[in-house]
Amino acid sequence: MAGKGFHQLKRWHQRALDVMRSPTALAFLPALCLGGFWLGGEGALMALAGAVPCLYLVMGGVARAGGPSAMVGDIADRTTFEDIVSDISDAMEDSPRQSALYAIAIEDFDMLVERYGQTLADTVVERTGQRIISVLRSADRVGQLAEGRFAVCLAPVRNLDLESCIQLGGRMQVAIEEPISVDGVTIYVTVGIGFCQRERAPGGLASDWIEAAACAMRVALRRGPSGLRAFSDQMRQETLNRAALYDEVGGALDGGQIVPWFQPQICTETGKVTGFEALARWCHPTRGMISPAEFLPAIEQSGLLERLAEVMMYHSFAALKAWDGAKISVPHVGVNFAGTELSNPRLIEKISWELDRFDLQPERLAVEVLETVVADTGDDVITRNIASLSEMGCQIDLDDFGTGNASIASIQRFSVSRIKIDRSFVMKADRDPDQQRMISAILTMAERLGVQTLAEGVETVGEHVLLAQLGCDHVQGFGIAWPMPFDQTIEWLHAHNTKLKEVPRIMTGRLK
Ligand code: C2E
Ligand code: CA
Ligand code: CA
């Protein structure tokens, strides 16, 4: 109750200040003094001359109306800002005027604090606030909602279209992102900005409006750096869907909704299938098929990556047994392991147990490890796990090769069996000499190190033929086949093997 009364008082104070600072009030000051003299004589004039400046001093009006950085008044704290937004929102209820609310976040703020310390980070926040103010008009309002996070509510105007909102957002971004010099250190910050026009805000409450801008800001941060996004209804739906995924993901894993789909890998020399990669798919009962890009973050944040690996391994081993049973040769299945799973000290035990259960040899499993994990790892458990898996006889595939700066030493240290050349090098390789040079360099290095190669994301016959000619050992991609559910693999394998028997080898003679 006391808090509410205090905020009410603050709002009155703010309104009184607004009136006192307005040009109209200032223009009437001389008239007020003259009126006082006319009615009450010299005494009244003296009293007014003393009382008015005192009133301004007490209310803080002189200081605030003074310097340029104070043009829009103070930077309000969260609660005061919500009150301000409430007032603006109420005032606009039956008015044709328009407004917009911006949410602004300094990107990687925690890293900034870690790198430069709290004092410097505070200075950056202060300058950011000043820079935001510098591009606004005097009646616009600014609030600081959290450390490194600001919000701006524009004073209502007659015309405020989407284009003007985007332009203002861009101007704030440019102003904030100017390098900041503090104590001889130059700091570069980027900001993600989201905004919501009043008429687009869902719900009538000020908090709904602020949340809508914050939702757009979060999307801007995800798409950043320096993202700028306008709130839309679709955005809200996506956010709700994403939130729902978090609630459902555990049940989906245990309930068998998340399963591997399989994408074949073939040998460029013989055309034969040398393996399948297991790629996670969520077959959602109402939303259809959901890709890993959408649900992996939910799995990761729910701490369920290990459970995912178990599920993927279980289904992959069951698939190997089924192909064996159908007398179709599929030498191995590649399963993706994220860094967190690889740091589990009991990983080897778990994999051995699972292989035994299915009576499969370790070489039937290819462990796909991202190049970034190998390059970054100072983690002894990861190093030991990968080395043990390799000793056991599992294949180690270095995934997304070319994107993670793994050293040649680490390729040897981890006993990598094969590198998977990232799709970014393969794209348009048949038409782009630069791409060809990069692929050739990777292939030469792999040959010298005695490791096998696989090109990912092969989409066209041209790319396939070029990779074969350059001497890449294996290819995988939509050009060969899209990932498919297990049920379709046997039919696909039969068709592929029949085609191989009918057609003499296409890829002959390698370019060196
Ligand atoms: P990745 O391991 O690099 O897998 C290859 C991705 O490229 C797959 O995307 C695949 O569908 C896609 N792809 C295959 N051929 C082509 C092509 O010709 N063109 C293009 N444009 N794309 C192609 P997907 O299935 O969406 O998986 C994305 C990523 O999610 C994977 O990248 C992998 O890092 C991760 N992921 C998938 N399944 C699992 C899993 O079970 N566990 C973990 N930890 N990560 C997984
Ligand atoms: Ca992979
Ligand atoms: Ca990959």
Side-chain angles (χ1 to χ4, degrees), residues 277 279 336 368 370 399-400 420 456 476:
E277 177 174 4
L279 295 159
N336 292 281
E368 295 209 6
L370 285 173
D399 207 354
D400 296 357
K420 296 188 78 178
E456 290 193 284
Q476 175 186 346

